[in-house]
Amino acid sequence: MASAMEMLVGDQKIASQSDRWVEVINPATEQVQSRVPDADAGDVDRAVCVARQAFEDGPWSRMTPSDRGKLMYKLAELIEANADELALLETQDMGKPHFHSLNHDVPMAVDFMFYCAGLCDKVRGSQVPLGPDKHVYVLREPVGVVAGIIPWNFPLVIAVQKLGPALAYGNVIILKPAEQSPRTAIRLGELALEAGIPPGVVNVVTGYGETGAALCAHAGVDKLSFTGSSEVGKLIMEAAAENFRKVTLELGGKTANIIFSDADIDAAIASTVFTSCYNSGQICTTGSRLVMHKRIHDQFLDTLTSKLNQLQVGDPMDAGTKLGPIVTKEQYDRVNAYIKIGQEQYSPIECGQRQSGLDAGYYVNPTLFDHVAPDARIAQEEIFGPVISIIDFEDDDEVIRIANQTSYGLATAVWTNDLARAHRVAAKVDSGFVWVNCNNFWVAPIPYEGHRVSGVGADMGIEGVESYTKLKSVVVNLDNSPNPWVE
Ligand code: NAI
Ligand code: MG
């Protein structure tokens, strides 16, 4: 049996009480790579109690912000120092090319942690001037115990995206990584201890959706922070309603990658290749709708397909690979089912170069569908694979209508050299991100907020970090005159 990894509660590495395990399958080999505990409600309860005690009685929330920041800097440095191991675990668990795990995911996780560490001692409350009779100040306090539910597409980055903001303001957290890719979150918890962050501040429970559901239902949790499907996001919001807990939800998307005829076509093509295939299309901001002006359609498509045909689909450990496998058999079937749905109406243009000699792995080649109707299922539903619907348009009003014609509102990309047009479109599309002449640009200082079915609240940026706090307004009466309401 492949080596198991236990979860982390306080400073204890533990199995589940039931001794049930989740098998972690490497999607490139289809073999069991590792196993982690399958935590039940009892295990979750234990973690919440440990976290609650660390919050109420431990040194963490009483530490000076600058001391907290120093420990978080140390954690960021440890993530960096352990890049090789973390990148390997990430690739073995979920299949993204090792080159990307090492050169994109780990550095991004480090940046996010540094950003949050730097915010610790920048926290400010405020004072509300109300004249001489009242002294009013507003405090920003930690919410308490946070549950961070993490998906499998950026396991380490998204774990840090929950962990950093929670820690910055003195909260404690229980991370629940995805069952497909749990190991980097466990290592992150261990590195937090190594950095000197007190036991119980960072806990990691592992298991399937049921474990996440038990965590979200627990009355001892004060905030639920989730990234994943809109379907589960809704369940999380319902769970939060039970005790009126705070929620942050980062959900699905159906990005319109809009190419106007006046765009820098070479740059737009290169970026379209990237946004269509990066992480094998398993990103909530994948440019899954390529919305293209009719005038440039043929030339753009020709060059795009020839570029896509150069991409190697194959072993994620091979340095030449650009698209690794899809994360699981289940997701692979789902992506292929969407390709079938597309095929009922349109002929697929299959691109990419499948590496020879592969005898296992859940691989999907980049696949385009051309002249797709904006309301077709493949243009409406999140596929989460390298499957792109090309939609034609002729004028600006039409393209804005198309961009907004989905229930999602996460990101839009606009390619044009006309400055006024870029800003006009940016103002009218209803999405949390608008990228002008770029794609998929996320860095720590920019808040990430989905509109409509894409989410509630922001991750990262100062706004996202502040969502891990609650306000307290203290009103001090300085007026001694009698209360007019009482005789
Ligand atoms: P999912 O939303 O079911 O899983 C995400 C996380 O939520 C995992 O940790 C899972 O264990 C947990 N979870 C599942 N059910 C839960 C529940 N009832 N309560 C609490 N936690 C629960 O996503 P899944 O099934 O892995 O992927 C399905 C689709 O979701 C994908 O095809 C994609 O369209 C979308 N997705 C979107 C992501 C994003 O970045 N916005 C990330 C992953 C998936
Ligand atoms: Mg699911």
Side-chain angles (χ1 to χ4, degrees), residues 19-39:
D19 199 31
R20 283 204 316 258
W21 296 83
V22 178
E23 289 190 335
V24 180
I25 313 279
N26 181 331
T29 63
E30 303 181 34
Q31 301 297 313
V32 178
Q33 184 74 47
S34 178
R35 47 180 204 153
V36 296
D38 180 10

Side-chain angles (χ1 to χ4, degrees), residues 259-265 293 295-296 393 415-416 421:
I259 325 285
F260 284 97
S261 55
D262 62 9
D264 174 339
I265 299 295
H293 195 277
R295 201 180 308 141
I296 53 164
F393 78 93
W415 289 86
T416 176
R421 171 180 269 161

Side-chain angles (χ1 to χ4, degrees), residues 156-320:
L156 178 67
V157 171
I158 297 175
V160 171
Q161 197 169 305
K162 312 291 182 203
L163 177 62
L167 295 186
Y169 288 166
N171 297 286
V172 302
I173 192 166
I174 300 157
L175 294 171
K176 207 301 277 178
E179 54 272 34
Q180 298 86 350
S181 56
R183 293 188 298 162
T184 48
I186 299 176
R187 284 297 291 134
L188 188 60
E190 292 169 354
L191 293 175
L193 283 176
E194 199 180 321
I197 293 174
V201 173
V202 184
N203 308 277
V204 186
V205 297
T206 52
Y208 297 98
E210 289 74 12
T211 308
L215 182 57
C216 294
H218 200 296
V221 175
D222 303 300
K223 167 163 176 136
L224 310 180
S225 181
F226 169 79
T227 301
S229 63
S230 297
E231 184 192 352
V232 172
K234 196 170 189 178
L235 298 175
I236 303 243
M237 202 154 174
E238 282 167 15
E242 187 61 36
N243 295 299
F244 300 95
R245 265 92 49 87
K246 285 183 183 281
V247 279
T248 299
L249 305 175
E250 291 301 328
L251 309 174
K254 199 76 194 173
T255 296
N257 178 32
I258 302 170
I259 325 285
F260 284 97
S261 55
D262 62 9
D264 174 339
I265 299 295
D266 289 344
I269 288 172
S271 184
T272 298
V273 169
F274 164 68
T275 189
S276 307
C277 299
Y278 189 66
N279 216 30
S280 293
Q282 302 168 114
I283 315 185
C284 44
T285 51
T286 291
S288 52
R289 295 185 297 155
L290 172 55
V291 186
M292 219 196 307
H293 195 277
K294 279 187 176 151
R295 201 180 308 141
I296 53 164
H297 173 278
D298 294 354
Q299 176 210 347
F300 195 99
L301 185 57
D302 263 11
T303 320
L304 177 65
T305 48
S306 76
K307 297 256 184 235
L308 289 172
N309 280 330
Q310 292 164 21
L311 302 183
Q312 176 170 303
V313 182
D315 179 2
M317 294 305 294
D318 186 299

Side-chain angles (χ1 to χ4, degrees), residues 358-404:
L358 299 169
D359 48 15
Y362 307 124
Y363 297 103
V364 174
N365 280 34
T367 305
L368 307 175
F369 287 101
D370 198 11
H371 301 305
V372 174
D375 62 354
R377 269 189 75 186
I378 52 169
Q380 286 291 317
E381 298 176 17
E382 187 173 56
I383 300 176
F384 238 56
V387 181
I388 308 302
S389 297
I390 302 174
I391 302 171
D392 312 314
F393 78 93
E394 260 180 315
D395 66 62
D396 292 24
D397 288 343
E398 184 188 10
V399 82
I400 289 159
R401 236 181 2 257
I402 292 169
N404 289 335

Side-chain angles (χ1 to χ4, degrees), residues 117-141:
L119 284 179
C120 288
D121 59 358
K122 318 287 183 300
V123 179
R124 293 276 171 87
S126 59
Q127 187 264 334
V128 186
L130 286 175
D133 294 343
K134 295 282 182 291
H135 171 46
V136 178
Y137 56 97
V138 183
L139 301 173
R140 213 168 252 294
E141 299 184 336

